Amino acid sequence: MSMITVPRVGGLALIIGAVSYIVSTLLMPGFVIGTAGPNDLQAMVDAVAGRPLLTYFAAAIGAVGVMFLLWGYLVVWQTAQTPCALDIFIKYGLVGVMIAVVFLLLGHAFNYTASHVIEHGIGAGTGPDQTEALETTARHMLSAGGVARLVGAVTGLTGYIALGFAFARKFKPGGYRELARVIGIVAVVSMIGMILTVPFVDFMNPSGPVFTALSIIYYLWWIVIGVGVHQERFGLQVGVVTPEH
């Protein structure tokens, strides 16, 4: 019988968490279903209000995904315990990514809260005389969710830049190393694109699907990393120093 080790459990946590979060993103109304641009708050209100049950399940799945992702990240954190500069950058990158997934979950939570407000109201109920006030409240919540996702994107991209290039040096030559380098480059390009896009409102809505697709790519990478951690392919065993050190 094979022994259950920390890397095996951590690898599975990364895989389950990344898959859950991808499903959550695809199901959350306003992203793929009932697509709405980041600045088209009324379209977002219509998307989440028209699918309250789906919005709830997407937020719930995202919460489960974050739990597993953080668990997996902590396992990867345990593998970076040497004074080597690469391990320092890996820890820095993991902090950014951990903060990012929490803020992205907050964005999902604001979406669900906006849906709940429109469906059930606040205090005075959901009568016709309350419609305008409830939609205004929902737009404020969705705006707050957008800010949370923006903050998560900044910290996450900073983390992926550090992780991508640090893993590209830490991993042994092969597919994992090249993929890590690609992730680092994509994160740099994404950061530049976000810096150039966010200040210009007209560019935000058309670029929304692009940033959603990029976020899914990063979680697909965690599935690949999870497989490697689970199978202990590239020396990411807890307490073991890789040959590159």
Side-chain angles (χ1 to χ4, degrees):
M1 183 175 64
S2 60
M3 182 175 63
I4 298 177
T5 63
V6 172
R8 286 185 178 275
V9 175
L12 286 175
L14 285 175
I15 295 169
I16 294 171
V19 170
S20 298
Y21 214 88
I22 290 172
V23 171
S24 172
T25 300
L26 293 176
L27 289 181
M28 180 60 70
F31 289 86
V32 177
I33 300 173
T35 306
N39 286 325
D40 193 346
L41 294 180
Q42 186 56 51
M44 286 289 291
V45 167
D46 294 339
V48 300
R51 304 168 181 85
L53 190 60
L54 185 61
T55 304
Y56 164 74
F57 277 114
I61 294 171
V64 173
V66 166
M67 181 188 72
F68 279 103
L69 281 171
L70 292 177
W71 185 5
Y73 294 158
L74 290 175
V75 171
V76 177
W77 180 284
Q78 292 180 63
T79 71
Q81 298 302 320
T82 74
C84 174
L86 292 179
D87 285 348
I88 295 173
F89 278 107
I90 288 172
K91 288 181 177 179
Y92 173 79
L94 285 171
V95 169
V97 172
M98 288 179 186
I99 294 173
V101 296
V102 172
F103 272 94
L104 292 175
L105 179 61
L106 280 176
H108 279 6
F110 277 117
N111 277 28
Y112 170 67
T113 305
S115 170
H116 185 83
V117 165
I118 293 174
E119 185 180 19
H120 299 287
I122 302 176
T126 58
D129 57 327
Q130 296 295 318
T131 300
E132 184 177 352
L134 293 178
E135 288 195 353
T136 299
T137 302
R139 284 194 291 271
H140 287 315
M141 290 181 176
L142 291 174
S143 179
V147 172
R149 282 188 287 271
L150 179 61
V151 172
V154 172
T155 59
L157 288 175
T158 303
Y160 282 118
I161 292 171
L163 281 176
F165 292 115
F167 276 153
R169 291 294 303 273
K170 187 180 180 82
F171 291 163
K172 298 175 182 178
Y176 282 101
R177 169 176 283 188
E178 296 306 318
L179 183 56
R181 184 173 289 113
V182 168
I183 289 295
I185 294 172
V186 170
V188 170
V189 174
S190 298
M191 181 69 85
I192 294 172
M194 188 176 66
I195 291 172
L196 295 177
T197 301
V198 170
F200 303 100
V201 177
D202 292 340
F203 293 151
M204 282 295 290
N205 287 340
S207 63
V210 176
F211 287 114
T212 298
L214 287 173
S215 69
I216 291 175
I217 289 174
Y218 296 129
Y219 289 110
L220 288 173
W221 184 51
W222 281 116
I223 294 175
V224 176
I225 295 297
V227 172
V229 172
H230 178 71
Q231 298 180 351
E232 301 180 6
R233 286 187 178 182
F234 33 65
L236 286 183
Q237 297 109 352
V238 175
V240 175
V241 179
T242 60
E244 284 74 11
H245 289 88

